[in-house]
């Protein structure tokens, strides 16, 4: 009975409403209007007349590359990038801003300058969705590789540097620094000094701290920021915060930068890890065989003895020989070369002594029957003159191998790794 009463009440209410009396009810917008967002993005880009600096984090390790986009006209933009020398001079790129699947999109044609950069990098996108627009920063995400682009307002001062091709100039300064004659580098900041290794191919700096007995290496990737370098992640070592190395000035001693930062080229390491020399020597329980291709080299002068010029040359061997049948220590080092698997003679044997400071010194004790090839004799004698230097060698762990660095002046070195 109660159900029928409710039914008749509702029915009476419906018939009591006159035609045209239904009023629209305003509902709050749940989804943002893509047209409004498109205008917001375009207005943000236009708000800075000197354009925008970009960083893109891409790939598995979120490597960072830097550059500039001017967004000068509707589809054409000034462009420069630090990815390689192919993009380090001020140029133009095409671009498009549109709505794709209700999202505001920034895209670059495949054959544009930016498109070429993306193709070279492999994991940089050419189509980005705008994720967030702040007062001075715009965040975007790539559609295919999820690379992350961040646009920040460029100052007039930075734009002037970029137009003067500052990225390419800094490329050259770092290359010249890395090509200074001595093997070792020191990093100076805030009254403290750290060891430093520079890898221009991987774009990384390795800061070495601690002690000889407990050396600590921190390797950080860097990118060119239009006025020097920026580490991908800031790092603090011994109370020193390191992030930007800017206003680069090169001289004969090394590099000077803003904030009383200096990088100097040195004849000895600041921190010398003692473990590699022990690993190179091995012990009576381990059969070791080290090989080198170029043997002794100097900066810009590989293979100063001329081994690689020998016909059918394969490698140079350095092997610690132990008496494996008696409880004796190593009794000599063997050196020799291979010409397509054949030993041409003129092999040498050395005694060695390693000081408590970790410097290994070689003394020749034996030379086998001379080779019939005078060029083999010549190259082996040149190598001997370096092996028997009166001071000896630092042994530096380098990738999967070891570098023997002349302890007299760090002007000559040889890289060895285990035989395959």
């Amino acid at each position: 009975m109660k159900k029928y009463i409710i039914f008749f009440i509702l029915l009476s209410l419906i018939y009591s409403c006159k035609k045209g009396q239904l009023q629209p009810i305003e509902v709050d917008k749940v989804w943002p209007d893509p047209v409004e967002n498109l205008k917001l993005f375009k207005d943000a880009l236009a708000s800075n007349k000197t354009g925008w600096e970009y960083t893109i984090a891409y790939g598995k390790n979120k490597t960072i590359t830097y550059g500039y986009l001017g967004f000068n006209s509707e589809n054409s933009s000034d462009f420069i990038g630090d990815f390689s020398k192919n993009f380090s001079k001020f140029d133009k790129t095409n671009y498009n801003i549109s709505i794709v699947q209700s999202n505001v999109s920034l895209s670059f044609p495949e054959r544009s300058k930016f498109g070429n950069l993306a193709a070279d990098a492999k994991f940089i996108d050419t189509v980005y969705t705008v994720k967030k627009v702040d007062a001075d920063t715009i965040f975007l995400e790539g559609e295919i590789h999820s690379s992350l682009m961040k646009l920040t307002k460029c100052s007039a001062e930075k734009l002037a540097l970029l137009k003067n091709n500052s990225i390419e100039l800094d490329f050259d300064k770092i290359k010249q620094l890395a090509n200074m004659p001595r093997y070792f580098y020191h990093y100076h900041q805030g009254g403290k000094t750290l060891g430093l290794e520079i890898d221009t191919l991987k774009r990384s700096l390795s800061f070495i701290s601690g002690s000889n007995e407990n050396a600590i290496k921190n390797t950080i990737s860097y990118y060119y920021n239009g006025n020097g370098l920026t580490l991908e992640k800031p790092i603090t070592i011994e109370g020193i915060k390191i992030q930007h190395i800017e206003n680069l000035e090169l001289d004969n001693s090394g590099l000077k930068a803003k904030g009383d930062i200096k990088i100097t080229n040195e004849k000895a390491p600041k921190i010398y890890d003692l473990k590699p020399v022990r690993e190179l020597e091995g012990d009576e329980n381990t059969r070791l065989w080290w090989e080198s291709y170029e043997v002794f080299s100097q900066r810009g002068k590989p293979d100063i003895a001329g081994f690689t010029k020998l016909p059918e040359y394969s490698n140079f061997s350095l092997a610690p020989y132990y008496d494996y049948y008696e409880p004796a220590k190593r009794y000599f080092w063997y050196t020799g070369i291979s010409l397509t698997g054949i030993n041409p003679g003129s092999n040498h044997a050395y005694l060695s002594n390693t000081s408590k400071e970790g410097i290994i010194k070689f003394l020749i004790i034996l030379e086998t029957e001379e080779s019939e090839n005078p060029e083999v004799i010549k190259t082996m004698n040149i190598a001997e003159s370096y092996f028997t230097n009166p001071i000896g060698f630092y042994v530096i762990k380098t990738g999967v191998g070891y570098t023997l660095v002349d302890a007299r002046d760090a002007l000559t070195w040889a890289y060895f790794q285990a035989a395959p």
Side-chain angles (χ1 to χ4, degrees):
M1 185 68 180
K2 186 176 181 181
K3 292 181 180 178
Y4 290 108
I5 293 171
I6 294 172
F7 173 76
F8 283 115
I9 291 172
L10 290 173
L11 193 63
S12 64
L13 286 172
I14 291 170
Y15 279 100
S16 67
C17 293
K18 296 179 181 179
K19 187 176 181 179
Q21 282 188 333
L22 293 174
Q23 299 294 325
I25 299 173
E26 192 164 330
V27 180
D28 290 338
K29 292 179 181 177
V30 177
W31 306 108
D33 186 342
V35 176
E36 289 181 9
N37 283 344
L38 180 66
K39 183 178 183 303
L40 178 66
F41 180 52
K42 287 184 174 181
D43 288 348
L45 293 181
S47 69
N48 199 49
K49 302 301 181 185
T50 50
W52 296 75
E53 297 173 80
Y54 71 76
T55 56
I56 301 174
Y58 68 97
K60 181 180 178 181
N61 297 320
K62 292 302 178 189
T63 301
I64 294 179
T65 190
Y66 165 91
Y68 170 86
L69 288 164
F71 300 108
N72 311 79
S73 62
E74 187 173 351
N75 295 115
S76 179
S77 172
D78 287 340
F79 169 74
I80 195 171
D82 85 322
F83 182 77
S84 74
K85 281 216 168 189
N86 292 334
F87 310 100
S88 61
K89 288 185 178 179
F90 220 69
D91 207 336
K92 295 282 186 181
T93 189
N94 294 328
Y95 75 98
N96 296 295
I97 297 174
S98 60
I99 296 173
V100 178
Q101 296 181 348
S102 299
N103 294 314
V104 180
S105 173
L106 170 65
S107 62
F108 302 88
E110 183 179 340
R111 296 186 181 277
S112 66
K113 195 73 175 179
F114 188 97
N116 293 338
L117 184 153
D120 286 358
K122 299 189 187 311
F123 296 105
I124 288 180
D125 291 277
T126 55
V127 180
Y128 292 86
T129 297
V130 178
K131 292 295 184 180
K132 186 179 180 182
V133 178
D134 286 341
D136 298 317
T137 310
I138 301 172
F139 300 88
L140 307 95
E141 183 174 354
E143 287 296 300
I144 303 297
H145 303 296
S146 298
S147 55
L148 303 175
M149 177 185 283
K150 183 168 73 172
L151 299 173
T152 54
K153 288 183 176 180
C154 183
S155 67
E157 293 77 14
K158 177 62 77 69
L159 179 57
L161 288 173
L162 292 169
K163 283 186 173 181
N164 195 39
N165 295 319
S166 59
I167 292 176
E168 186 161 85
L169 293 173
D170 289 337
F171 276 174
D172 292 337
K173 289 175 185 176
I174 298 301
K175 182 179 179 180
Q176 290 178 59
L177 175 67
N179 283 333
M180 285 190 161
R182 301 187 191 278
Y183 186 86
F184 299 108
Y185 293 89
H186 293 180
Y187 179 87
H188 310 266
Q189 181 181 334
K192 294 187 177 181
T193 302
L194 307 172
L196 182 70
E197 295 176 358
I198 305 168
D199 189 329
T200 57
L201 185 62
K202 294 182 178 179
R203 289 195 185 180
S204 67
L205 299 177
S206 296
F207 299 92
I208 305 165
S209 56
S211 64
N212 292 355
E213 291 74 21
N214 185 29
I216 302 169
K217 181 187 289 190
N218 289 281
T219 300
I220 310 291
S221 296
Y222 64 82
Y223 60 90
Y224 293 89
N225 65 20
N227 187 26
L229 310 180
T230 294
L231 301 186
E232 289 189 355
K233 295 179 181 178
I235 187 170
T236 300
I237 303 173
E238 296 183 0
I240 302 171
K241 183 179 180 181
I242 309 169
Q243 184 173 15
H244 304 291
I245 305 173
E246 298 182 320
N247 297 350
L248 309 182
E249 296 180 13
L250 196 69
D251 61 25
N252 291 333
S253 65
L255 189 78
K256 295 179 182 178
K258 180 181 177 181
D260 200 30
I261 293 172
K262 294 180 182 178
I263 298 174
T264 54
N265 189 220
E266 303 285 348
K267 67 178 183 179
K270 172 61 180 175
I271 303 294
Y272 177 46
D273 189 349
L274 295 174
K275 294 188 290 294
V277 67
R278 300 172 192 141
E279 294 167 357
L280 182 83
E281 291 178 307
D283 56 41
E284 62 269 22
N285 299 314
T286 309
R287 292 176 181 265
L288 298 176
W289 194 277
W290 307 112
E291 291 184 352
S292 179
Y293 183 66
E294 295 180 342
V295 200
F296 288 106
S297 299
Q298 295 173 341
R299 196 80 73 189
K301 300 176 182 178
D303 184 22
I304 54 182
F307 286 103
T308 58
K309 296 177 183 177
L310 295 173
E312 301 180 318
Y313 168 76
S314 300
N315 56 63
F316 178 98
S317 296
L318 171 67
Y321 263 47
Y322 285 89
D323 187 339
Y324 294 100
Y325 304 102
E326 297 291 339
K329 294 183 178 181
R330 183 191 66 254
Y331 59 98
F332 70 88
W333 292 77
Y334 160 86
T335 65
I337 66 171
S338 173
L339 302 180
T340 59
I342 299 172
N343 187 328
S346 288
N347 305 317
H348 294 169
Y350 297 91
L351 291 176
S352 72
N353 177 63
T354 302
S355 69
K356 63 179 181 179
E357 292 80 17
I359 295 176
I360 187 169
K361 183 178 176 181
F362 295 97
L363 174 67
I364 190 165
I365 56 170
L366 179 67
E367 180 177 346
T368 63
E369 184 177 348
E370 281 193 344
S371 172
E372 296 178 0
N373 185 336
E375 290 302 311
V376 169
I377 298 171
K378 178 182 176 181
T379 54
M380 288 298 290
N381 286 342
I382 293 173
E384 179 192 323
S385 70
Y386 284 98
F387 266 115
T388 57
N389 87 71
I391 303 299
F393 296 90
Y394 297 105
V395 180
I396 308 298
K397 180 68 176 173
T398 313
V400 298
Y402 301 88
T403 301
L404 277 64
V405 182
D406 193 326
R408 292 174 295 183
D409 49 22
L411 291 173
T412 308
W413 50 85
Y415 173 76
F416 288 89
Q417 65 182 46

